[in-house]
Amino acid sequence: QVQLVESGGGLVQPGGSLRLSCAASGRIGSINAMGWYRQAPGKQREFVATITSGGSTNYVDSVKGRFTISRDGAKNTVYLQMNSLNPEDTAIYYCRAGADWMFTRGLSYGVWGQGTQVTVSS
């Protein structure tokens, strides 16, 4: 059993920065990859970024150059550094963990956190 707890969300002005954290506990040895997704009001949950146990990263085009996903050496915490935020980034951000293959097969596999709210507003 794996549990994920997100933190770091909040209210920030356009152009500002936030760093989200996702701490994994339980059977963390079973986690190969972790990622971030977001869901804005009235929209479907969308992929933001992933990082594999080998360190390979992937980003949705809209955040490339602005967001950076990383993890600690123990691979039990994943971060999302978000810079140059704009109102379109406003959403609930969810952490996801699982085997590498799960991230290529939709949203129904792996473990999800409860989400943390990010609001970008002037």
Side-chain angles (χ1 to χ4, degrees), residues 38 76 82 87:
R38 65 187 181 186
N76 64 332
M82 305 185 294

Side-chain angles (χ1 to χ4, degrees), residues 19-120:
R19 189 181 77 160
L20 306 183
S21 299
C22 175
S25 62
R27 297 181 62 185
I28 58 176
S30 65
I31 298 174
N32 282 7
M34 301 182 73
W36 291 94
Y37 295 70
R38 65 187 181 186
Q39 188 167 16
K43 301 186 69 176
Q44 295 289 311
R45 188 172 301 187
E46 68 170 346
F47 161 79
V48 177
T50 54
I51 184 167
T52 69
S53 60
S56 298
T57 59
N58 192 26
Y59 300 90
V60 66
D61 286 346
S62 61
V63 309
K64 288 181 179 178
R66 300 189 298 120
F67 291 11
T68 302
I69 188 170
S70 62
R71 67 181 189 275
D72 68 7
K75 299 181 175 62
N76 64 332
T77 303
V78 66
Y79 306 95
L80 185 68
Q81 178 66 48
M82 305 185 294
N83 299 325
S84 301
L85 287 162
N86 58 65
E88 289 70 37
D89 297 314
T90 295
I92 301 175
Y93 283 70
Y94 295 91
C95 181
R96 184 188 186 186
D100 290 341
W101 64 266
M102 296 178 177
F103 291 82
T104 69
R105 299 187 184 181
L107 305 177
S108 59
Y109 299 99
V111 178
W112 293 86
Q114 293 185 330
T116 184
Q117 177 71 50
V118 172
T119 302
V120 185

